[in-house]
């Protein structure tokens, strides 16, 4: 990744910098969005910008969504880094302020865009899926009424540090699952959780402190379009271990089937859907891809 886009200017990565008094650095005051492109076009960009705009308003960070301008900057950045498609991260950091907690809104945030190669996920990955490792790291409660996609990612990093301690999880490229302090299902380290039982789609409710993911939102809409009943609620590992199908969602990986549960309880492995993607997950993935702008989906 040779170049980044810093405040609208193409900049060599090694030369890009923000001031030490930026509150994104000092206090984690800032938000980011990650998304991918399909055929060079950012996927679900308007939804990501809406979430970013709402979060910045809550945090007192001035922000105006300019979708067309952002698309142009992303295209310039992709081309500079030699990418036909890419993994995009757009960060808005609060900007410079006094050392101490501010009493007023911020004035000049920093805008930083990264573009890197997408992870290699061939179609076999979506058929065979990956395991899900139960973690001891608890999903922390959000700082506000809902969880922001903020620059404060310590909880997720601690969860990742725990995940890499499990040899089987590392070898199988498993995702990690965090629970709430009450023992309810929450979310993955970088993904939202869904499971299907007897034709009903279940997902933890927002009150568990999970990120209200964009892919999660679109999957819920896809389920409605397909006539699949949806229940949002408080669930336990027992519900998950009895599910017919399980999958995780993220803007980069789309819908990834979970085909084994690790550590339910510790040391036990539970196979899901005979180790392959389930039929309802397949239907939801296909419709999600159409909604997300992927043009190679069969109809």
């Amino acid at each position: 990744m040779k170049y980044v886009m810093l405040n609208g200017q193409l900049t060599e990565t090694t030369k890009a910098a923000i001031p030490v008094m930026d509150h994104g650095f000092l206090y984690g005051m800032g938000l980011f969005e990650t998304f991918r492109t399909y055929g060079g076009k950012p996927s679900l960009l308007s939804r990501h910008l809406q979430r970013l705009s709402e979060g910045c308003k809550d945090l007192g960070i001035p922000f105006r969504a300019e979708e067309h301008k952002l698309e142009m900057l992303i295209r310039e950045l992709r081309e500079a880094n030699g990418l036909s498609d890419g993994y995009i991260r757009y960060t808005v950091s609060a900007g410079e302020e006094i050392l101490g907690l501010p009493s007023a809104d911020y004035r000049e945030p920093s805008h930083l865009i990264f573009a890197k190669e997408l992870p290699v996920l061939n179609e076999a990955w979506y058929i065979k899926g990956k395991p899900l490792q139960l973690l001891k790291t608890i999903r922390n409660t959000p700082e506000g009424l809902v969880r922001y996609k903020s620059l404060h990612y310590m909880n997720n990093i601690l969860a990742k540090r725990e995940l890499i301690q499990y040899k089987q999880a590392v070898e199988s490229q498993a995702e990690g699952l965090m629970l709430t302090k009450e023992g309810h299902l929450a979310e993955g380290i970088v993904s939202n959780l869904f499971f299907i039982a007897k034709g009903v789609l279940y997902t933890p409710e927002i009150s568990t402190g999970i990120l209200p993911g964009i892919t999660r939102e679109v999957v819920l809409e896809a389920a409605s379009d397909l006539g699949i009943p949806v229940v949002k609620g408080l669930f336990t590992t027992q519900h998950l271990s009895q599910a017919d199908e399980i999958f995780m969602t993220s803007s980069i990986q789309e819908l990834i089937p979970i085909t084994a549960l690790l550590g339910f309880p510790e040391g036990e492995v539970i196979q899901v859907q005979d180790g392959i993607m389930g039929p309802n997950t397949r239907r939801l993935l296909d419709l999600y891809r159409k909604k997300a702008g992927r043009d190679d989906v069969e109809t």
Side-chain angles (χ1 to χ4, degrees), residues 119-189:
V120 179
L121 298 171
N122 58 40
E123 200 57 28
W125 183 265
Y126 292 94
I127 295 172
K128 296 181 180 180
K130 65 163 65 174
L132 184 64
Q133 171 71 53
L134 181 62
L135 301 176
K136 297 182 178 69
T137 303
I138 300 300
R139 172 79 276 191
N140 65 344
T141 56
E143 296 93 335
L145 295 177
V146 297
R147 184 172 300 281
Y148 300 112
K149 201 170 179 70
S150 76
L151 304 187
H152 183 5
Y153 242 54
M154 186 184 294
N155 189 220
N156 302 65
I157 292 172
L158 290 174
K160 181 64 176 290
R161 287 175 63 83
E162 180 190 346
L163 180 65
I164 61 177
Q165 296 175 22
Y166 302 113
K167 181 179 179 181
Q168 187 175 10
V170 173
E171 291 176 346
S172 59
Q173 301 182 57
E175 168 66 308
L177 173 66
M178 291 183 283
L179 308 180
T180 68
K181 65 178 182 179
E182 295 83 11
H184 296 127
L185 301 176
E187 60 188 345
I189 298 174

Side-chain angles (χ1 to χ4, degrees), residues 75-146:
R75 180 169 63 249
E76 182 181 354
L77 181 58
R78 280 194 302 99
E79 291 174 353
N81 284 318
L83 301 172
S84 56
D85 271 314
Y87 172 121
I88 311 298
R89 171 171 163 151
Y90 177 26
T91 299
V92 179
S93 187
E96 289 185 86
E97 255 297 347
I98 62 168
L99 184 61
L101 305 185
S103 57
D105 288 350
Y106 293 97
R107 294 165 295 175
E108 293 187 39
S110 296
H111 297 255
L112 180 61
I113 308 172
F114 294 94
K116 69 175 185 177
E117 291 184 1
L118 286 163
V120 179
L121 298 171
N122 58 40
E123 200 57 28
W125 183 265
Y126 292 94
I127 295 172
K128 296 181 180 180
K130 65 163 65 174
L132 184 64
Q133 171 71 53
L134 181 62
L135 301 176
K136 297 182 178 69
T137 303
I138 300 300
R139 172 79 276 191
N140 65 344
T141 56
E143 296 93 335
L145 295 177
V146 297

Side-chain angles (χ1 to χ4, degrees), residues 23-89:
H23 274 207
F25 167 67
L26 290 176
Y27 301 111
M29 286 296 288
L31 302 171
F32 72 98
E33 294 289 329
T34 54
F35 47 90
R36 59 174 293 163
T37 64
Y38 292 111
K41 184 174 177 59
S43 175
L44 303 170
L45 183 57
S46 61
R47 296 187 191 231
H48 285 281
L49 289 178
Q50 180 180 354
R51 181 171 67 176
L52 185 58
S53 179
E54 291 171 353
C56 283
K57 181 179 179 181
D58 290 344
L59 299 181
I61 300 173
F63 178 80
R64 184 175 66 179
E66 298 181 274
E67 187 169 342
H68 179 66
K69 180 179 178 181
L70 183 58
E71 285 183 336
M72 292 176 60
L73 293 175
I74 290 171
R75 180 169 63 249
E76 182 181 354
L77 181 58
R78 280 194 302 99
E79 291 174 353
N81 284 318
L83 301 172
S84 56
D85 271 314
Y87 172 121
I88 311 298
R89 171 171 163 151

Side-chain angles (χ1 to χ4, degrees), residues 175-277:
E175 168 66 308
L177 173 66
M178 291 183 283
L179 308 180
T180 68
K181 65 178 182 179
E182 295 83 11
H184 296 127
L185 301 176
E187 60 188 345
I189 298 174
V190 292
S191 57
N192 285 131
L193 170 68
F194 287 86
F195 64 95
I196 299 171
K198 297 181 179 179
V200 178
L201 180 66
Y202 296 88
T203 192
E205 62 185 43
I206 296 299
S207 70
T208 57
I210 64 173
L211 180 76
I214 300 299
T215 304
R216 176 182 183 273
E217 176 184 283
V218 177
V219 166
L220 291 172
E221 293 173 7
S224 178
D225 292 346
L226 293 170
I228 300 174
V230 173
V231 176
K232 306 171 193 174
L234 302 175
F235 310 110
T236 67
T237 54
Q238 184 175 1
H239 291 104
L240 200 61
S241 65
Q242 296 173 351
D244 301 317
E245 302 176 44
I246 305 171
F247 62 91
M248 310 297 287
T249 63
S250 75
S251 294
I252 304 302
Q253 296 186 355
E254 306 170 323
L255 282 68
I256 292 290
I258 297 299
T259 50
L261 300 174
L262 309 179
F264 289 69
E266 189 171 344
E268 184 176 340
V269 178
I270 299 174
Q271 192 175 60
V272 182
Q273 189 62 35
D274 296 324
I276 60 172
M277 173 185 279

